[in-house]
Amino acid sequence: YIVNPTSLGNIIDSFLRHYKRFEQRGLSLRYMGNELNSNFKENQLVDREQSKNLLVKQLEKLEDGNYKLMIDGGNAYAIPYASHILNMPMKSSDYNICDETIPFYQIVLHGYVSYAGAPINLSEDYKQLLLKTIETGANPYFIWIYSDNSVLKDSHYNQYYSVNYKDWLDSAVRIYKELDEILRDVQDKEIIEHERLAEDVYRVTFEGGKIIIVNYTKSTVHVDGVAVEPENYKVLQGGKN
């Protein structure tokens, strides 16, 4: 269902009146971070720019209420109000006109906003997505349900084909621990350099000197005397192994 942008203020006000009694400071906004809806109804026209302004006004209201906001996707107008971003685009569209994926979005935001890409457990190749998570300094993200995967088959939620928590819990714990060891000391640091060293081989440098080399290929690569195994990474401190 698409909400008339002019109705959004009343909806949020009504929600907050009920939500305040729970004394929770976190909110996940879902589509407010990635969708702008116009209204073409006669005598009630709202174009996209007007819709954006109405939406930003509500984001400001939530920020003034000291709510920590999680958004999905992360359009530019919503970023200043977000504490966390999910499903951040991690690669280009891969259209023929695109020569290379460059993580401009992550380079700008790292150290200022917490973010994650797509759910790892829904990736066609979770190992490649995990490497992209490391390359961009992102957080790992999983989406789970308690019930068996089969309950969603042939439903409107067919895309959630691998979300039973039991199937992923051990792997998720291992992944979180691994990435925490790699990235916890640079969570508040800027990405100051991102380099393409070879086809599918990248080097990212964080503020403070930590360097991570990521190898997406099926072969071992050597960078300045350092061997990086296939579909793996190597963490350097200040350029030293």
Side-chain angles (χ1 to χ4, degrees), residues 7-71:
S7 300
L8 191 59
N10 291 334
I11 292 172
I12 288 180
D13 288 342
S14 175
F15 170 79
L16 289 179
R17 281 196 299 270
H18 296 283
Y19 188 66
K20 284 178 180 177
R21 71 175 186 266
F22 297 107
E23 298 183 353
Q24 299 295 320
R25 308 315 304 173
L27 284 172
S28 176
L29 301 183
R30 295 193 68 186
Y31 306 120
M32 284 180 68
N34 65 12
E35 289 190 6
L36 275 180
N37 299 310
S38 306
N39 182 14
F40 298 102
K41 189 174 181 179
E42 190 175 355
N43 299 324
Q44 295 184 27
L45 177 65
V46 178
D47 63 28
R48 285 175 58 83
E49 186 66 21
Q50 292 169 323
S51 178
K52 184 196 76 172
N53 293 335
L54 289 168
L55 204 153
V56 167
K57 183 178 179 180
Q58 300 311 311
L59 292 170
E60 290 174 347
K61 180 191 301 180
L62 294 170
E63 183 183 53
D64 290 343
N66 293 320
Y67 290 100
K68 287 188 174 295
L69 305 180
M70 177 183 287
I71 63 174

Side-chain angles (χ1 to χ4, degrees), residues 10-232:
N10 291 334
I11 292 172
I12 288 180
D13 288 342
S14 175
F15 170 79
L16 289 179
R17 281 196 299 270
H18 296 283
Y19 188 66
K20 284 178 180 177
R21 71 175 186 266
F22 297 107
E23 298 183 353
Q24 299 295 320
R25 308 315 304 173
L27 284 172
S28 176
L29 301 183
R30 295 193 68 186
Y31 306 120
M32 284 180 68
N34 65 12
E35 289 190 6
L36 275 180
N37 299 310
S38 306
N39 182 14
F40 298 102
K41 189 174 181 179
E42 190 175 355
N43 299 324
Q44 295 184 27
L45 177 65
V46 178
D47 63 28
R48 285 175 58 83
E49 186 66 21
Q50 292 169 323
S51 178
K52 184 196 76 172
N53 293 335
L54 289 168
L55 204 153
V56 167
K57 183 178 179 180
Q58 300 311 311
L59 292 170
E60 290 174 347
K61 180 191 301 180
L62 294 170
E63 183 183 53
D64 290 343
N66 293 320
Y67 290 100
K68 287 188 174 295
L69 305 180
M70 177 183 287
I71 63 174
D72 194 275
N75 287 343
Y77 59 80
I79 292 172
Y81 309 97
S83 297
H84 309 281
I85 301 174
L86 298 181
N87 290 303
M88 176 183 281
M90 303 296 278
K91 58 182 293 186
S92 73
S93 63
D94 288 332
Y95 291 158
N96 289 337
I97 198 172
C98 298
D99 297 318
E100 185 71 29
T101 292
I102 302 173
F104 288 118
Y105 200 165
Q106 292 80 8
I107 291 171
V108 170
L109 292 186
H110 195 276
Y112 298 96
V113 180
S114 172
Y115 56 80
I120 289 176
N121 55 311
L122 295 180
S123 172
E124 295 178 1
D125 188 336
Y126 91 91
K127 187 176 239 184
Q128 291 281 315
L129 178 56
L130 188 58
L131 290 175
K132 182 61 71 174
T133 300
I134 294 169
E135 179 196 347
T136 57
N139 292 299
Y141 167 40
F142 296 84
I143 185 168
W144 290 337
I145 62 172
Y146 180 82
S147 300
D148 189 77
N149 293 313
S150 61
V151 302
L152 299 179
K153 188 176 181 181
D154 298 324
S155 75
H156 291 298
Y157 303 97
N158 236 3
Q159 68 272 27
Y160 300 120
Y161 52 84
S162 178
V163 290
N164 177 257
Y165 84 97
K166 292 180 182 177
D167 296 338
W168 280 93
L169 187 58
D170 290 342
S171 295
V173 170
R174 175 182 55 78
I175 289 169
Y176 268 96
K177 287 183 177 179
E178 180 179 356
L179 266 65
D180 180 62
E181 183 67 27
I182 302 167
L183 298 172
R184 67 183 174 211
D185 60 337
V186 294
Q187 283 300 298
D188 60 347
K189 308 295 185 184
E190 296 181 359
I191 293 175
I192 60 174
E193 191 168 21
H194 181 274
E195 304 165 88
R196 179 183 183 271
L197 303 178
E199 184 75 27
D200 293 327
V201 181
Y202 300 91
R203 176 167 58 199
V204 58
T205 304
F206 294 89
E207 178 186 6
K210 174 170 276 191
I211 296 172
I212 302 177
I213 302 170
V214 180
N215 176 19
Y216 291 94
T217 74
K218 305 291 185 181
S219 305
T220 298
V221 297
H222 293 82
V223 179
D224 297 333
V226 177
V228 187
E229 296 178 353
E231 293 187 294
N232 216 316

